[in-house]
Amino acid sequence: MSMALDLAQAAAKAGEVPVGAVVVNELTGEVIGKGQNRPITSHDPTAHAEIVALRDAATTLENYRLTDLTLYVTLEPCAMCAGAISHSRIGRVVWGADDVKGGAVKNGPKFFEQPTCHWRPKTDSGLYAEQVSAQLKDFFRSRRKKGTAKPEPS
């Protein structure tokens, strides 16, 4: 999770919401994929940290099925990311801070509990939650001070 926090910090420096994600093979400790939020810089609304990390892992393994791997992400996944996680068949998802507004696993639609969800990973939350929350609060506080709470259109 510390690597995901570092990726989130890099996203913040790029002007993106600070979210980072890492796909790990728990048996070997090998990092298979990593990502940070970049929808603004890449002009891609799907470039959330989780999806970037899943794409990186799938490319590394040359397989879109990521069974038995763990996704560490700093913030509870949204509905779009939960869908991608389910389709990738990731074995486990661990996130830091809950997202009561945009989260879709523990909060909101509780995606993995829906009968239409075909793959349900194991989930854990709260890892580094205080650090993640502080990182997000600091990011949005600094943007409000600068008057750039919303990203500028390109």
Side-chain angles (χ1 to χ4, degrees):
M1 185 63 87
S2 63
M3 184 181 289
L5 276 166
D6 291 343
L7 289 163
Q9 188 60 40
K13 286 181 182 175
E16 302 277 3
V17 175
V19 179
V22 180
V23 177
V24 176
N25 179 331
E26 296 287 357
L27 295 176
T28 65
E30 181 183 7
V31 173
I32 308 295
K34 51 189 171 178
Q36 64 193 52
N37 261 7
R38 58 180 196 208
I40 299 166
T41 54
S42 67
H43 309 291
D44 179 359
T46 68
H48 288 198
E50 300 94 310
I51 291 177
V52 174
L54 293 173
R55 287 176 180 158
D56 189 33
T59 299
T60 298
L61 297 177
E62 297 181 344
N63 191 340
Y64 74 102
R65 298 280 171 97
L66 304 176
T67 312
D68 298 327
L69 300 177
T70 299
L71 172 68
Y72 289 91
V73 60
T74 56
L75 187 64
E76 178 183 357
C78 70
M80 176 181 67
C81 293
I85 289 164
S86 179
H87 282 283
S88 75
R89 290 177 167 59
I90 214 92
R92 181 174 170 233
V93 180
V94 179
W95 68 87
D98 293 340
D99 185 351
V100 296
K101 289 183 181 179
V105 179
K106 184 177 179 181
N107 294 286
K110 300 180 181 174
F111 189 92
F112 300 133
E113 295 177 22
Q114 299 306 311
T116 53
C117 180
H118 299 292
W119 179 265
R120 294 167 180 84
K122 296 175 186 167
T123 61
D124 292 297
S125 64
L127 187 62
Y128 288 78
E130 289 181 26
Q131 293 95 317
V132 172
S133 293
Q135 189 178 51
L136 286 160
K137 287 175 185 173
D138 290 347
F139 174 79
F140 286 112
R141 188 178 304 118
S142 73
R143 293 197 48 107
R144 281 191 297 275
K145 285 181 182 175
K146 292 178 184 175
T148 57
K150 292 185 180 176
E152 297 291 325
S154 328

